[in-house]
Amino acid sequence: MQKQSVRLGVDIGGTFTDVVLERGEDLFSTKVLTTYSAPEEAIVEGMARVCAQAQIDPAQITQIIHGTTLATNALIERRGAKTALITTEGFRDVIEMRTESRFEQYDLNLTLPPPLLPRNFRYTLKERMQADGQVLKPINRAEIESLVNEIKQAGFESIAVGFLHSYVNDAHERLVADVVGEHMPGAMLSLSCEVSPQMREYERFNTTIANAYIKPLMKTYLDRLKGRLNGEGAVCPIFLMHSGGGIISLENAAEFPVRLVESGPAGGAVFAAHIAARHRLDKVLSFDMGGTTAKICLIKDQTPKTARVFEVARSYRFKKGSGMPISIPVIDMVEIGAGGGSLAHVDSLRQIRVGPESAGSEPGPACYGRGGTRPAVTDADLVLGRLDPNNFAGGRITLNAEASSAALATHVGDTLDMESQTAAFGLCEVVDENMANAARVHAVENGENLSEYTMIAFGGAAPLHAGRLCEKLGISRLLVPTGAGVGSAIGFLRAPFSFEATRSQFMRLTDFRSDLATDLLRDLTQEATAFVSSCDAQAEIEAQYKVYMRYSGQGWEIPVPFDAALAQSPDAARFEALFEREYQTLFGRSVAGMDIEITVWSVNAATTAAAAQPLPPQPAPQRLKEAQSRSLFDPASGQMTRAAQWRRAQMAIGAELDGPAVIEEEETTIIVPTSRCARALSDGCIEVIARSTEKGAAQ
């Protein structure tokens, strides 16, 4: 008899660690406060809880898929290893000079984020490759040995190597790796030709340094996690969610930990895309709000938008160029410091500001009773009646409303001469407007009209704020899926094994070389497929192809997908036609008479995704009669009102109710504003729609 598949999804967030166990079609979930000093302890506690719910032993788990913010936090908080950079002579200061662009043009006091490594941690060697890969200045092995010994004496734990044009010819980087292996066998090593083999030195060097910087920390954590889980009896394979929306092995994750940056949010986007596919939605705004941050992602044709460069730790909100660029495949989303634990204060202009500083789980919001005294978004939600103090996190945490009111009064109300309730309303309006602005900016940058979109909300705090956010954005339809409070962890269980291989190979279409393109795409396909096969040797693997193209003279490229037939027989005319179609879609017109260039080639290999199951038929609507009610703040009237109160588990399929209403479940709470109505769909989703569209939605 074949062993039943039992899979565990684990998402470590800034406040809570979400754990989901899947056994067949059954899901069991829990939320545990994140243990910062030893994150694996929260995982073990959560695993014990869900195993108890499912009445199984940890030894019966067949697969664990994990996503974490530890890599991101280590970069933001500068808690990495002592790392050295070895680069080409003359390029020592690339990561400090950046691109020389001013992301805030008129700020006379503009402060650039400091580089990840100080100047005395950056070393050079006399070597040089040309852009075509020809050796311009040979490297000297004796000089490498001398430099490596100097680095060894300085006590560096990790080394990043990034030479000019090594993405075309990696011979010099490989030679350095050989010498480091001989003289410093215990050191961690990251080569730019492996981590990010793409053009643009600043992004490539910074990505390689980031990988080296967090590699010892992440490898130690992953080894510790594996040992801890094995000690609990879970001896199954462990996989990691990567930022591109797929799964890689624990060994590959330890080698390339920079790919784990944004792994948690990527799981959320995969979760939303899965819901979009079930509902046959082509335009979805994914809204993920947890304890520390809020993430917003556009999903078109049931596929999250992707990018190959993103920024960590932006010093200016929404300002591209103000953060640390990481050049890896990533799901494109906007992330801001707006979560349940985000702290509020009043600035010098007597304005309420929220985030990006977060109370996290230690000490947490004031209402947690763990030592926090400053007001967080959760405190405001509690004062406004959105949370039941006795049923938070499944009843495992009792919230103190008096502590929330006191914190709001002390830090906001007294300064602005307002009551705690008004201060709570102001705090929530600020955080909701911050998220709405982020969504607007993201939509404008992608040429999208959000009024045409359906929002899918998940994460512990998102359903509390999603209804109000839809009002602000003009979105008429909201879906809150089953398991929304632990959506990212469920997304891990829906993600395919995948790996995207990229390489820079500059080529003008007027000088297109079909033979070179064929060989390059074949090598990339083999590289990506090998990574996926290391996770599941028996699975069917599909390859998706993409090139990044631009008009000659432009500073940036656009992604152009193409099919396997073109990959096997590359043709300049077909690439030109595809590029002009994509360019016209983005910018409204193409440019005649200009040469076109390809800069980056990409192949993403992934296991075949299961087809989305069609929705069961929707039964006849059933109007719910109010059984219980509680006091809830109504933003429309600016005062407390009576709202219907229901447990989600008590809402049968087809059940309908009008706002204002509160729908509670174990890991989150759905707030239905006065302007909206809600109904339970046949797949368990709660649909919240504007009353003006209620009739049309019913039809």
Side-chain angles (χ1 to χ4, degrees):
M1 180 181 293
Q2 187 176 3
K3 185 178 180 181
Q4 184 183 32
S5 175
V6 180
R7 305 167 73 214
L8 192 77
V10 180
D11 177 29
I12 296 182
T15 302
F16 285 98
T17 294
D18 298 342
V19 182
V20 175
L21 186 140
E22 180 184 60
R23 184 184 61 191
E25 296 184 356
D26 297 324
L27 286 177
F28 307 89
S29 62
T30 190
K31 296 177 86 72
V32 183
L33 286 171
T34 296
T35 49
Y36 289 109
S37 58
E40 66 274 13
E41 294 304 320
I43 296 177
V44 170
E45 181 183 348
M47 179 177 69
R49 287 184 187 177
V50 293
C51 285
Q53 292 175 28
Q55 298 182 339
I56 66 168
D57 190 86
Q60 295 176 250
I61 298 173
T62 58
Q63 186 183 88
I64 296 174
I65 303 173
H66 178 28
T68 174
T69 60
L70 294 178
T72 310
N73 294 343
L75 290 173
I76 293 173
E77 299 168 13
R78 305 296 176 104
R79 291 188 294 102
K82 185 178 181 181
T83 303
L85 168 67
I86 301 176
T87 189
T88 305
E89 187 178 53
F91 290 82
R92 180 183 184 184
D93 298 318
V94 163
I95 63 169
E96 193 158 358
M97 294 166 62
R98 302 168 65 89
T99 60
E100 298 187 346
S101 64
R102 293 180 62 86
F103 50 82
E104 187 63 67
Q105 187 173 357
Y106 301 108
D107 186 350
L108 299 179
N109 299 312
L110 184 67
T111 302
L112 296 173
L116 203 54
L117 302 183
R119 196 170 195 269
N120 61 322
F121 284 16
R122 309 192 298 255
Y123 300 85
T124 64
L125 285 170
K126 296 177 181 177
E127 67 83 42
R128 189 68 174 262
M129 289 286 180
Q130 296 182 159
D132 61 1
Q134 296 297 313
V135 177
L136 184 63
K137 183 182 292 186
I139 196 168
N140 185 293
R141 185 183 179 94
E143 289 185 11
I144 301 174
E145 292 175 344
S146 176
L147 178 58
V148 170
N149 285 327
E150 181 182 348
I151 290 173
K152 182 178 181 180
Q153 292 299 318
F156 286 97
E157 303 172 63
S158 191
I159 299 173
V161 183
F163 289 146
L164 196 65
H165 301 308
S166 61
Y167 55 85
V168 182
N169 185 341
D170 61 6
H172 288 181
E173 287 193 4
R174 298 290 181 188
L175 182 57
V176 172
D178 291 341
V179 174
V180 170
E182 293 173 7
H183 293 260
M184 295 180 65
M188 299 287 179
L189 186 65
S190 297
L191 306 180
S192 75
C193 62
E194 294 179 342
V195 176
S196 181
Q198 302 178 51
M199 60 185 286
R200 295 190 173 90
E201 286 72 37
Y202 170 48
E203 288 84 356
R204 178 162 56 92
F205 291 178
N206 202 82
T207 304
T208 308
I209 291 169
N211 193 78
Y213 187 73
I214 61 176
K215 193 171 182 177
L217 171 73
M218 293 304 299
K219 182 172 176 54
T220 300
Y221 164 69
L222 293 174
D223 289 344
R224 197 170 67 238
L225 173 65
K226 184 177 181 180
R228 190 74 175 84
L229 290 173
N230 288 350
E232 295 295 320
V235 293
C236 58
I238 302 171
F239 299 95
L240 276 294
M241 186 80 185
H242 64 70
S243 59
I247 303 166
I248 55 175
S249 68
L250 184 142
E251 293 73 22
N252 288 331
E255 189 65 26
F256 301 107
V258 74
R259 289 196 175 229
L260 302 182
V261 176
E262 298 296 288
S263 66
V270 171
F271 176 64
H274 178 76
I275 300 299
R278 289 209 69 186
H279 287 260
R280 304 186 186 280
L281 299 173
D282 292 330
K283 292 186 177 184
V284 161
L285 181 71
S286 164
F287 172 42
D288 177 5
M289 185 178 179
T292 305
T293 58
K295 283 79 65 175
I296 293 166
C297 176
L298 296 176
I299 298 175
K300 293 191 68 175
D301 301 324
Q302 294 131 40
T303 304
K305 187 178 182 297
T306 58
R308 61 185 182 90
V309 179
F310 72 106
E311 291 181 351
V312 176
R314 285 182 177 173
S315 56
Y316 284 59
R317 184 174 288 176
F318 305 144
K319 292 292 184 180
K320 287 186 177 181
S322 67
M324 183 189 309
I326 303 295
S327 182
I328 57 172
V330 64
I331 290 179
D332 188 21
M333 63 182 72
V334 59
E335 181 172 357
I336 65 172
S342 295
L343 295 169
H345 67 278
V346 178
D347 66 11
S348 58
L349 298 177
R350 294 175 57 82
Q351 294 178 330
I352 299 174
R353 301 294 184 187
V354 184
E357 185 182 3
S358 174
S361 62
E362 300 172 3
C367 58
Y368 281 17
R370 296 166 60 90
T373 58
R374 296 169 59 188
V377 175
T378 298
D379 293 304
D381 285 334
L382 179 61
V383 169
L384 297 179
R386 295 174 176 175
L387 294 172
D388 183 344
N390 299 314
N391 287 301
F392 186 73
R396 286 180 291 274
I397 299 176
T398 301
L399 302 181
N400 187 335
E402 292 182 359
S404 294
S405 295
L408 285 160
T410 301
H411 294 274
V412 180
D414 291 349
T415 304
L416 300 179
D417 191 24
M418 59 177 61
E419 297 179 351
S420 295
Q421 189 181 95
T422 307
F425 176 44
L427 191 161
C428 284
E429 281 295 284
V430 168
V431 78
D432 289 347
E433 193 59 40
N434 286 344
M435 292 185 292
N437 280 335
R440 294 183 190 109
V441 169
H442 195 48
V444 168
E445 287 177 346
N446 290 277
E448 296 296 329
N449 180 2
L450 288 180
S451 65
E452 302 171 355
Y453 276 67
T454 296
M455 179 183 288
I456 296 179
F458 53 94
L464 290 161
H465 294 260
R468 181 63 173 155
L469 197 58
C470 284
E471 290 180 332
K472 289 177 175 290
L473 294 172
I475 294 176
S476 60
R477 189 183 189 209
L478 162 68
L479 293 180
V480 183
T482 303
V486 291
S488 289
I490 296 175
F492 298 163
L493 303 175
R494 304 289 174 259
F497 293 109
S498 75
F499 189 87
E500 185 172 350
T502 60
R503 194 161 309 156
S504 282
Q505 178 65 61
F506 182 82
M507 193 181 299
R508 288 192 176 93
L509 294 190
T510 52
D511 302 318
F512 190 79
R513 288 186 53 189
S514 180
D515 57 335
L516 180 60
T518 301
D519 292 344
L520 180 61
L521 290 168
R522 184 187 62 244
D523 292 346
L524 288 173
T525 302
Q526 291 174 351
E527 177 186 344
T529 302
F531 270 94
V532 177
S533 296
S534 69
C535 299
D536 189 344
Q538 306 301 319
E540 291 186 20
I541 299 175
E542 295 179 346
Q544 298 174 328
Y545 305 91
K546 190 187 302 179
V547 285
Y548 290 83
M549 304 177 69
R550 66 187 182 189
Y551 285 114
S552 182
Q554 290 184 324
W556 210 256
E557 307 85 22
I558 64 170
V560 179
F562 59 98
D563 57 22
L566 185 55
Q568 294 171 2
S569 301
D571 177 74
R574 288 192 60 196
F575 276 119
E576 180 178 2
L578 290 173
F579 168 73
E580 290 189 338
R581 185 187 68 187
E582 294 293 329
Y583 196 92
Q584 192 161 5
T585 299
L586 280 173
F587 303 108
R589 60 180 291 256
S590 57
V591 182
M594 292 193 68
D595 204 353
I596 299 170
E597 303 166 345
I598 299 175
T599 61
V600 178
W601 307 70
S602 166
V603 177
N604 183 62
T607 52
T608 305
Q613 296 295 319
L615 293 178
Q618 184 73 16
Q622 304 173 24
R623 275 284 163 183
L624 290 178
K625 295 181 180 179
E626 183 179 322
Q628 289 183 316
S629 67
R630 78 176 191 219
S631 186
L632 176 71
F633 189 87
D634 177 25
S637 62
Q639 59 187 12
M640 299 298 286
T641 186
R642 298 304 297 177
Q645 180 178 348
W646 287 91
R647 295 292 297 176
R648 184 167 184 167
Q650 296 172 344
M651 293 182 63
I653 301 302
E656 296 182 347
L657 57 86
D658 292 332
V662 178
I663 303 172
E664 296 179 327
E665 55 185 292
E666 285 292 304
E667 289 98 8
T668 189
T669 299
I670 304 170
I671 299 299
V672 184
T674 305
S675 65
R676 311 269 153 161
C677 58
R679 66 170 176 164
L681 301 183
S682 57
D683 66 336
C685 281
I686 300 296
E687 178 188 54
V688 181
I689 59 175
R691 292 195 182 185
S692 59
T693 62
E694 180 180 1
K695 184 177 179 180
Q699 293 174 349

